[in-house]
Amino acid sequence: MGMTYIPVNLQEALHLRAEKKAKPLAGGSDMMVQAKRGIGLAPEFPFDVMIITGLDELKGIKLLDDGSVEIGALTTPHEIAVSDIVPWHVREAAAGMGAIALRNSATIGGNIGNASPKGDLPQPLILLDASVVLASIRGERKILLDDFILGSKKTALEDDEIIKSVIIPPHDFSYLFYRKIGMRRANAISKLSLSAAAVVKDGEILDFRAASGAAGPRVIRSRDAENIIKGHKVEEIPSLMDVFLDAWNEAISPHAMPLYRRNTTRRMLDYFLTSIHSGAEEGIIEEEA
């Protein structure tokens, strides 16, 4: 059984991470489950752990001078969901994470660091080109979240680093779409999720992007498929649809319930693009029940 440490500030935590290789523990919604031993028994970790819930340096949401939003690693889904400066896609994903108790104890850093294919927050963050700030006694580095998550439960985090924050660059989308599908309407693990967004000006699609979660070992975002739509006129959408959707099909993992996920993702993307083509009012595209 490993040792447990409670650092009083980030600098102490970074030294514990470097010298003891202690793993950060905040909300514990993933780590505590993995270490459980049974009813009435305290969890045991085979490695040193440091409880970082008291580190103020990793808390809070703030608007940066360039319009980006920085979210501290210890920020909870509830705090994200009710923030008026966090982008809409991320708020929606945070609001749908598990039960109320989990949304008030889990953290964005833990949700990202766990790198579960079914994690709720990585998918919209990758859509928005979010970056992760990683801290160590060597300094800080920033990496795109899409490059940070390497696969299921695998990240680019070095063994002396801690996730410090997430930075989301500014966007001004004309159309937005988000949908999470689970076995029930609330408190459900994601079976499939999709975020999409587009910028349309004077009838031209200047930007188009989509990201799918729980459809493979990591979030799926196909830039090749997006480029099929970008730069074209809205009136061209019907002629591009099949080529675009086929490209998305190729991006979905063949091992992740391919028929269900391919068909469901295809329907949602078709709905989003068809809504834009049909002249839907700019803003959030609500999918019909």
Side-chain angles (χ1 to χ4, degrees), residues 152-167:
S152 178
K153 305 291 184 176
K154 297 179 181 178
T155 72
L157 187 73
E158 300 288 345
D159 61 8
D160 66 342
E161 290 180 321
I162 292 175
I163 297 174
K164 183 180 179 183
S165 65
V166 175
I167 297 179

Side-chain angles (χ1 to χ4, degrees), residues 4-281:
T4 299
Y5 302 92
I6 306 179
V8 298
N9 55 48
L10 179 58
Q11 197 60 33
E12 183 182 356
L14 295 179
H15 279 281
L16 286 169
R17 184 78 169 121
E19 297 162 11
K20 305 293 185 180
K21 306 305 178 189
K23 293 192 176 182
L25 175 63
S29 53
D30 291 306
M31 286 179 63
M32 295 294 282
V33 171
Q34 295 165 8
K36 68 180 181 180
R37 296 191 298 147
I39 297 175
L41 298 175
E44 287 187 358
F45 299 98
F47 43 76
D48 289 349
V49 171
M50 56 177 169
I51 300 173
I52 61 171
T53 51
L55 302 186
D56 292 337
E57 300 99 319
L58 305 184
K59 297 178 181 179
I61 304 171
K62 59 184 177 182
L63 188 64
L64 304 182
D65 291 341
D66 66 352
S68 297
V69 174
E70 183 171 23
I71 305 174
L74 293 183
T75 306
T76 67
H78 171 72
E79 290 168 330
I80 293 169
V82 299
S83 171
D84 58 0
I85 63 172
V86 172
W88 177 82
H89 288 97
V90 184
R91 297 201 312 269
E92 285 292 297
M97 284 180 63
I100 294 174
L102 184 142
R103 292 197 295 273
N104 281 281
S105 61
T107 65
I108 186 173
N111 198 244
I112 289 170
N114 189 46
S116 168
K118 296 182 179 182
D120 290 284
L121 294 177
Q123 181 255 88
L125 289 170
I126 286 174
L127 177 90
L128 299 173
D129 292 328
S131 296
V132 185
V133 178
L134 308 174
S136 71
I137 59 173
R138 297 176 284 112
E140 294 183 2
R141 67 183 177 113
K142 187 167 75 169
I143 180 174
L144 278 173
L145 181 57
D146 205 8
D147 295 329
F148 175 73
I149 297 178
L150 304 177
S152 178
K153 305 291 184 176
K154 297 179 181 178
T155 72
L157 187 73
E158 300 288 345
D159 61 8
D160 66 342
E161 290 180 321
I162 292 175
I163 297 174
K164 183 180 179 183
S165 65
V166 175
I167 297 179
I168 308 171
H171 300 90
D172 188 17
F173 294 117
S174 309
Y175 297 95
L176 308 97
F177 179 91
Y178 176 81
R179 177 75 189 276
K180 172 181 175 177
I181 297 173
M183 295 300 291
R184 52 187 184 270
R185 286 187 176 273
N187 303 350
I189 295 175
S190 178
K191 194 170 185 179
L192 180 67
S193 63
L194 181 77
S195 288
V199 176
V200 177
K201 186 175 181 179
D202 297 328
E204 183 179 355
I205 305 169
L206 302 180
D207 190 8
F208 177 85
R209 54 182 71 185
S212 183
R218 60 195 302 275
V219 172
I220 294 169
R221 183 178 170 196
S222 173
R223 271 73 171 181
D224 290 339
E226 292 173 0
N227 288 334
I228 293 171
I229 301 296
K230 284 197 295 189
H232 288 273
K233 295 289 187 181
V234 169
E235 62 193 37
E236 298 179 78
I237 287 177
S239 64
L240 300 169
M241 188 78 80
D242 286 342
V243 178
F244 166 73
L245 294 175
D246 287 346
W248 252 96
N249 281 346
E250 291 300 315
I252 296 176
S253 169
H255 307 294
M257 291 179 62
L259 185 59
Y260 167 76
R261 285 187 168 88
R262 289 173 194 272
N263 288 344
T264 305
T265 303
R266 187 182 186 98
R267 182 183 62 78
M268 289 190 289
L269 288 170
D270 184 298
Y271 181 82
F272 180 62
L273 283 167
T274 299
S275 297
I276 296 173
H277 175 256
S278 64
E281 183 178 350

